[in-house]
Amino acid sequence: MLDIDLIRNNPELIRESLKNRNYSEKLLDDFLEVDGEWRKAVDESNKLKHERNDASSRIPTLKGDEKQKVIAEMRQVSERIKELDALKINLEIKREDVVLNIPNLPDPSVPIGADYGGNKVVLEWGTPRHFDFEPKKHYELGEDLDIIDFVRGAKITGSGFYIMKGDGARLERALIQYMLDVHYDQGYTEIIPPAIVNKEAVIGTGQYPKMKDDMYWCERDDLWLNPTAEVPVTNMHQNEIFEKTDLPRYYTAYLPSFRREAGRNADTRGIIRVHQFNKIELVEFVLPQGSMERLETLRANAEAILQGLELPYRVLLLCTGDMGFASAKTYDLEAHAPAADQWLEVSSCSCFTDFQARRAKIKYRPEPHLKSEFINTLNGSGLALPRTMVAIMENYQTAEGKIVIPEVLRPYMKGQKIIG
């Protein structure tokens, strides 16, 4: 979340950010109204407490009716102070509810734009492939080769779910192992966190309340299915204070992720948009100085997977209107799927500045004698599996309807070169 003092002292900065990010300016108006009421209550409470303290020092010197009068007046003052203290607590809760819905401030390097069309292509790698035959779409290849079962996946759970089977399952497992190995060599510590998280965790990384309709909620236990491993890995250090020498920390994690895709059509044929998917996550805890520079390295670490797989891709710098709620700056990596002639987002790499750390209360101590400060967090997919699988299947298909296994994955598949 944003610092309350920042919102209070720079309302026009916040208003401009809300406009550029397609959020209602009413969020700021609501904050200013509630915060104003809170400050009035604080001022009145402080004045009355000062008055009560002054009276307490005078009462022993008073006598008779005058003494009783002051005592009676102070009883009324004490009752009013109790009312004001209760009011302050209620206003603090209301104010926090508003602040939790205000998005992060965009970094100055982020282009201003309303939606996807305002994003900027900053890099293109490889050349989109063209075939001398009519290429099949990934779901056609999956069904023809019997490596994806959409019918039985839907039968087990419902639309938006599928089964990977045979060499399809082995290919996805090989991808997971390959990605984790690459990220290990890049200096990340591997984590296997819980796949179910509590409300504090989804608040901490910014999914709640903004994205609550996109998450699966276990009502009985008030727990949430993991929407992305960013949530459990970041919240590992919730309410902790690092020593400066403990930073940076880099983690990678594999977890299945779950999203309801509320308001979107998850029934589109294939595995491009589904409710359950595997993903490799990169999460970083760094000092505030240089966190934007570290974003460039994080992005390169995710790009290394696409380059190793020899998949054509491009990098987008997202505009203000297309960034995620908690992000200050985001790059999207899009792999090319030639049969559909689509660019598919396979990774989103973001710097959150201290936005998540402030919500999750993750700090560091600059020096042993100094007050603790909030760290910065970064996160990136390294990569999301379904769309990476789509890109591999469509790019590596043959005229005979087979799929050539990328060379870097063959050691993980016992040397197998072809699916078909």
Side-chain angles (χ1 to χ4, degrees):
M1 69 173 73
L2 296 179
D3 183 3
I4 286 175
D5 285 338
L6 174 66
I7 306 173
R8 179 185 294 148
N9 298 328
N10 299 273
E12 291 314 308
L13 173 68
I14 307 302
R15 192 177 300 280
E16 187 69 15
S17 171
L18 291 170
K19 285 166 59 179
N20 291 337
R21 301 204 60 177
N22 298 332
Y23 283 78
S24 171
E25 294 176 54
K26 187 175 183 299
L27 286 168
L28 176 62
D29 296 333
D30 289 345
F31 169 86
L32 295 175
E33 180 182 348
V34 175
D35 187 57
E37 292 176 12
W38 178 84
R39 285 192 286 172
K40 286 180 183 177
V42 169
D43 288 345
E44 184 180 350
S45 176
N46 288 340
K47 288 176 183 177
L48 291 175
K49 287 175 181 177
H50 178 75
E51 182 181 335
R52 184 176 62 182
N53 291 339
D54 182 61
S56 295
S57 63
R58 289 190 297 110
I59 284 174
T61 66
L62 302 176
K63 296 180 180 179
D65 292 344
E66 185 180 3
K67 182 175 184 177
Q68 295 306 314
K69 179 184 177 183
V70 173
I71 290 174
E73 288 174 350
M74 289 308 103
R75 286 199 188 101
Q76 292 181 335
V77 167
S78 294
E79 287 301 314
R80 178 57 181 164
I81 290 172
K82 287 180 183 178
E83 292 174 3
L84 290 168
D85 287 345
L87 177 61
K88 283 191 298 180
I89 292 171
N90 288 333
L91 289 171
E92 285 168 2
I93 293 171
K94 286 177 66 176
R95 185 176 63 187
E96 182 169 332
D97 286 343
V98 175
V99 173
L100 285 175
N101 284 282
I102 296 177
N104 200 359
L105 292 175
D107 185 74
S109 62
V110 173
I112 296 173
D115 50 31
Y116 184 87
N119 297 335
K120 180 181 178 182
V121 178
V122 295
L123 182 144
E124 294 184 12
W125 190 94
T127 303
R129 293 182 182 166
H130 299 281
F131 301 95
D132 56 5
F133 59 90
E134 184 66 29
K136 294 181 180 179
K137 293 183 172 60
H138 76 278
Y139 51 81
E140 295 171 323
L141 289 163
E143 291 176 328
D144 290 348
L145 294 171
D146 196 26
I147 59 174
I148 308 179
D149 193 328
F150 297 104
V151 174
R152 290 186 175 91
K155 179 168 66 175
I156 294 169
T157 310
S159 61
F161 294 87
Y162 63 100
I163 294 172
M164 295 299 298
K165 58 189 291 192
D167 283 343
R170 294 178 64 240
L171 179 63
E172 183 155 331
R173 176 163 52 86
L175 263 173
I176 292 168
Q177 291 179 278
Y178 168 66
M179 292 176 187
L180 290 172
D181 284 351
V182 170
H183 297 319
Y184 173 83
D185 291 340
Q186 292 168 341
Y188 291 88
T189 299
E190 187 173 340
I191 299 292
I192 302 178
I196 301 177
V197 295
N198 59 30
K199 186 175 179 180
E200 288 73 19
V202 286
I203 288 175
T205 42
Q207 280 76 16
Y208 188 97
K210 170 64 178 173
M211 302 299 293
K212 65 179 181 179
D213 290 338
D214 260 348
M215 293 187 291
Y216 284 97
W217 178 45
C218 306
E219 182 177 4
R220 176 175 174 176
D221 301 300
D222 193 20
L223 296 172
W224 303 79
L225 294 188
N226 167 60
T228 166
E230 165 196 349
V231 178
V233 177
T234 302
N235 283 279
M236 278 171 39
H237 294 299
Q238 186 183 114
N239 298 309
E240 293 184 20
I241 300 177
F242 289 105
E243 295 302 323
K244 187 177 181 180
T245 53
D246 293 333
L247 298 171
R249 290 204 179 185
Y250 308 136
Y251 296 112
T252 185
Y254 154 68
L255 264 190
S257 301
F258 303 86
R259 294 183 189 170
R260 295 181 60 244
E261 301 287 3
R264 301 185 185 95
N265 181 12
D267 300 328
T268 301
R269 197 169 179 190
I271 61 174
I272 290 175
R273 189 178 292 282
V274 290
H275 294 308
Q276 177 182 335
F277 56 98
N278 291 319
K279 188 150 75 93
I280 306 300
E281 206 73 33
L282 304 174
V283 177
E284 302 190 357
F285 300 81
V286 302
L287 296 171
Q289 302 78 17
S291 62
M292 283 297 169
E293 289 78 6
R294 179 61 198 181
L295 175 61
E296 304 301 319
T297 303
L298 172 66
R299 184 191 109 189
N301 290 341
E303 287 183 55
I305 302 296
L306 289 165
Q307 293 175 9
L309 294 168
E310 298 185 73
L311 291 173
Y313 71 92
R314 67 183 186 181
V315 180
L316 302 183
L317 172 59
L318 299 196
C319 69
T320 52
D322 203 34
M323 283 198 312
F325 172 79
S327 176
K329 184 175 183 178
T330 295
Y331 291 106
D332 273 4
L333 278 55
E334 296 183 333
H336 189 255
D341 192 22
Q342 282 184 286
W343 291 97
L344 304 176
E345 179 198 328
V346 294
S347 177
S348 191
C349 300
S350 300
C351 177
F352 304 107
T353 56
D354 65 357
F355 190 84
Q356 291 182 331
R358 193 175 294 277
R359 295 167 77 107
K361 299 178 178 60
I362 308 173
K363 296 184 175 183
Y364 79 103
R365 212 178 302 280
E367 299 295 340
H369 62 285
L370 295 179
K371 182 181 177 183
S372 60
E373 299 176 9
F374 291 106
I375 66 163
N376 279 199
T377 59
L378 299 95
N379 157 256
S381 308
L383 307 165
L385 270 297
R387 294 176 184 178
T388 305
M389 287 283 289
V390 170
I392 289 173
M393 292 169 69
E394 294 196 7
N395 277 281
Y396 279 90
Q397 64 180 297
T398 69
E400 297 77 29
K402 300 178 181 181
I403 299 171
V404 177
I405 297 170
E407 191 170 343
V408 292
L409 300 183
R410 293 174 191 174
Y412 299 96
M413 296 188 69
K414 299 185 182 294
Q416 185 176 337
K417 297 181 180 180
I418 295 278
I419 293 176

